[in-house]
Amino acid sequence: MITITPRTSAGWQAQLAAYVLALLLGFGASALLITASGASVSEGFGALYEGAFGSWEAVLQSLVAATPLIFTGLATVIAFRAEIWSIGQEGQMFAGAMCGYWASLYLGGAPWLIAIPIIILAAMVGGGALGGLCGWLKTRFSVNEIISTVMLNYVVVYLLSYLLAGGPWTAEGSTSYHQTPVFDENFHLPLLVGSVKLHIGFPLALAAAAVCWVIIKKTPLGFEIRALGFNPTALRFKGVNVTRTVLIVMCLSGALSALAGVSEIFGVNYRLRGDVMAGLGFTGIIVGMIGGLNPIGAVIAALLFGALANGSLYMSVLSDIPPSLVPAMQGILLLFFLSASVLVRYSISIVRPVHV
Amino acid sequence: MSELLAPDILMSIITAAMGVATVILLAALGELVTERSGIWNMGVEGTMLFGCLIAYLVMAETGSPVLAAMVAMASGLAAGLLIGVMTVTLRVDHFVTGLGFNLLASGLTLFWFRSYVGGGKPPGYSTINEFPVPLLSDIPVIGPILFDQHLLTYAAFLSVPFIAFFLRRTTYGLETRAAGENPQFLEAKGLSVATRQYSALLFGSALTALGGAFLMMAFADQFRPDISGGRGWLAIVAVIAGNWRPVRTMIAVLIFAFLDSVAVHAQGVGVDIPYQFFLMLPYVASILLLVMIRSRSGQPAKLGVPYLKH
């Protein structure tokens, strides 16, 4: 029979080997999927690689695609580290973009140096408030955060749909597309490279990752977050206000998700529309988990997934493989990574039953 | 607003709500049994989505609802098995497994659907018909609501007492509950916790996938991405709000189904409130329901706690 026993820690070589294996198995399973759908594996993966890393422009474009994923990945890391299973990244990202847009309506001809910080701040307040609401429901009414965040995701999506389709924010003459008019140039996030839309959101995301790392590793709040995951009761006995910690974590997570919305709407699309953000919050959950709930790991995972997302556009043009392969691949990769994390945490051994 | 309260519209809303309730109730009953065994299965939405896609593919290919329902249930078994391997055997966290599975389902169903359609127009089929019970369906008011429904609707509501009986009176039902309350006790008696958890998961996931298949066959002639639209999550809420009891869970399901049905009718009637606000109703109600009903006395003691043999 197979027995599983917990072990204290595996060496980093074993961990690395487990995760590389998970990556290979994930790509292997994806190759099977492509074959099953009747397309050519080498052609598909070739185009995927070409689109993601094939040229300098492709690489920069992959960084652009990775930017919102770093934010939603970090939002996941902060919440999950505290064992708060928030799935609200998607809704909080939408809420952030919506609040940022709302603020921009009052900014008129303000120069970008004033307008952009206000937009970012408004978005963070909006996303943070939505996250905080779920934290409040959890601490005050013991409403499970998974349920509240999922339900509020749907509520926010319908709210945006109302605002853009016939509501007050609908663009003149765009009945078929649900979107606002294009923003004034002073609301665009400044670009770092002229030819590709690599905007200040990317360095901001890296900075956010560094801040998250410092918070988790070096501050009293970080200690509380980590302890919340291990043993909330002991934390309470130490005199820590657990309710407050949960609220802070949820607000922080919501504010980070909101930045993903700002980055996508004000950095890339220059108009508010829902479909361009759809899925970035959920992918952030995968990014955070595959990154081992570590801010640096989340950045690496986000870069990988940004490249996948960017490469898939190229792939869908060059081969018969639908771009919807990418979310399927992400899901498969996640399940393999989760299994690999078990291999790291437990030692599995096959024990022959002893016959007497 | 008052248009919705006109007698014939209200009748239509309630009659349609029974159909919507079928989808959520099947999943909720499956989840109830699963959670009673100690597995907090968060993969309900994904399992339902697989049921939807499989039912669509089989209906589009063969047009046979019976075959579609059976293959969909088989896909539910596969989903339950995968979740079981992750949670029961490998002891991955129940929440994380469920999240991962849902994301996989969302991506994989979309990929399969796009590959199947291949850029062309997705094939459709005619949705299945109601099965009016002779005589009883002629009773005014009650007849159309209770006795002019789909076969699966009758089956879903009839299974509420059966599942209550299974959990309270049968040996295997009691053992399943013991797996969620006191697995050491079960193990000490020489009975396998894993077997009971696997069987609960397989049963629950098959029922959930059947709910998805029904959603597809009765309400839509074409698959679309994430067509389950959060109804799997509503099933989980119904179990919590129902305090892990079958009849109370059914009542919670009926509330969600009514609001869902109101939303659909509000679009048709042309109320001056934007329809999106009606669509939000079930999701807002689910949170309010959990805020109001705070009793957790029925929650299995070891729900969501991976069991490690000592």
Side-chain angles (χ1 to χ4, degrees), chain A residues 54-129:
Chain A
S55 64
W56 183 232
E57 285 225 327
V59 172
L60 290 179
Q61 203 59 56
S62 294
L63 296 184
V64 176
T67 305
L69 297 178
I70 298 178
F71 285 123
T72 50
L74 291 173
T76 307
V77 170
I78 289 282
F80 283 22
R81 260 298 172 97
E83 300 230 337
I84 300 172
W85 305 114
S86 168
I87 322 179
Q89 290 82 330
E90 187 90 355
Q92 290 150 10
M93 169 181 63
F94 275 69
M98 285 152 73
C99 287
Y101 175 69
W102 194 20
S104 78
L105 294 178
Y106 297 96
L107 289 170
W112 71 266
L113 205 57
I114 295 170
I116 302 273
I118 293 178
I119 287 170
I120 290 179
L121 202 66
M124 288 175 78
V125 168

Side-chain angles (χ1 to χ4, degrees), chain A residues 270-286:
Chain A
Y270 303 147
R271 64 196 322 169
L272 177 60
R273 51 188 290 185
D275 55 344
V276 294
M277 289 185 287
L280 291 173
F282 294 116
T283 309
I285 298 177
I286 308 187

Side-chain angles (χ1 to χ4, degrees), chain B residues 240-287:
Chain B
I240 303 173
N243 203 19
W244 291 267
R245 302 274 192 279
V247 175
R248 292 188 210 181
T249 299
M250 179 185 78
I251 295 170
V253 167
L254 284 172
I255 295 174
F256 292 146
F258 177 73
L259 294 174
D260 201 320
S261 186
V262 166
V264 174
H265 282 77
Q267 272 174 281
V269 175
V271 189
D272 47 4
I273 300 169
Y275 70 92
Q276 289 95 341
F277 288 97
F278 285 101
L279 289 174
M280 288 177 199
L281 280 177
Y283 308 108
V284 174
S286 67
I287 295 176

Side-chain angles (χ1 to χ4, degrees), chain A residues 4 85 87 142 146 154 161 342, chain B residues 89 92 95-96 99 230 276 296:
Chain A
I4 300 181
W85 305 114
I87 322 179
S142 51
I146 302 189
Y154 286 103
S161 151
V342 173
Chain B
T89 305
V92 179
F95 293 112
V96 179
L99 299 190
Q276 289 95 341
R296 294 281 193 277

Side-chain angles (χ1 to χ4, degrees), chain B residues 141-263:
Chain B
V141 186
I142 299 175
I145 294 175
L146 294 183
F147 301 110
D148 188 9
Q149 298 287 352
H150 296 281
L151 276 176
L152 261 176
T153 304
Y154 306 130
F157 280 92
L158 284 177
S159 52
V160 174
F162 276 106
I163 284 181
F165 178 81
F166 166 76
L167 287 171
R168 295 184 72 140
R169 295 273 182 267
T170 64
T171 312
Y172 202 80
L174 291 170
E175 287 168 6
T176 301
R177 280 168 56 192
E181 298 287 352
N182 193 344
Q184 279 88 358
F185 170 75
L186 203 61
E187 204 79 33
K189 287 193 75 178
L191 301 168
S192 161
V193 174
T195 309
R196 271 126 200 106
Q197 293 186 327
Y198 263 109
S199 53
L201 250 174
L202 289 176
F203 170 79
S205 299
L207 222 52
T208 302
L210 183 62
F214 180 75
L215 172 69
M216 207 58 234
M217 297 187 294
F219 296 104
D221 61 350
Q222 241 175 52
F223 184 83
R224 58 183 166 76
D226 291 312
I227 189 169
S228 46
R231 290 182 185 85
W233 289 106
L234 291 176
I236 298 178
V237 177
V239 174
I240 303 173
N243 203 19
W244 291 267
R245 302 274 192 279
V247 175
R248 292 188 210 181
T249 299
M250 179 185 78
I251 295 170
V253 167
L254 284 172
I255 295 174
F256 292 146
F258 177 73
L259 294 174
D260 201 320
S261 186
V262 166

Side-chain angles (χ1 to χ4, degrees), chain A residues 4 33 85 87 140-142 146-147 150-151 154 158-159 161-162 282 286 289 324-325 332 334-335 338 342, chain B residues 89-92 95-96 99-100 103-104 108 111 229-230 233 237 274 276 279-280 283 286 291 294 296:
Chain A
I4 300 181
L33 268 186
W85 305 114
I87 322 179
R140 178 72 179 79
F141 300 102
S142 51
I146 302 189
I147 306 289
V150 168
M151 296 302 158
Y154 286 103
Y158 285 128
L159 184 62
S161 151
Y162 157 69
F282 294 116
I286 308 187
M289 288 202 281
S324 52
L325 167 74
I332 291 170
L334 176 62
L335 290 187
L338 288 176
V342 173
Chain B
T89 305
L90 292 177
R91 293 165 182 86
V92 179
F95 293 112
V96 179
L99 299 190
L103 294 167
L104 173 72
L108 207 54
F111 174 68
W233 289 106
V237 177
Q276 289 95 341
L279 289 174
M280 288 177 199
Y283 308 108
S286 67
V291 167
R294 296 173 61 190
R296 294 281 193 277

Side-chain angles (χ1 to χ4, degrees), chain A residues 17 43 88 177 285 293:
Chain A
E43 202 179 293
Y177 295 106
I285 298 177
L293 298 188

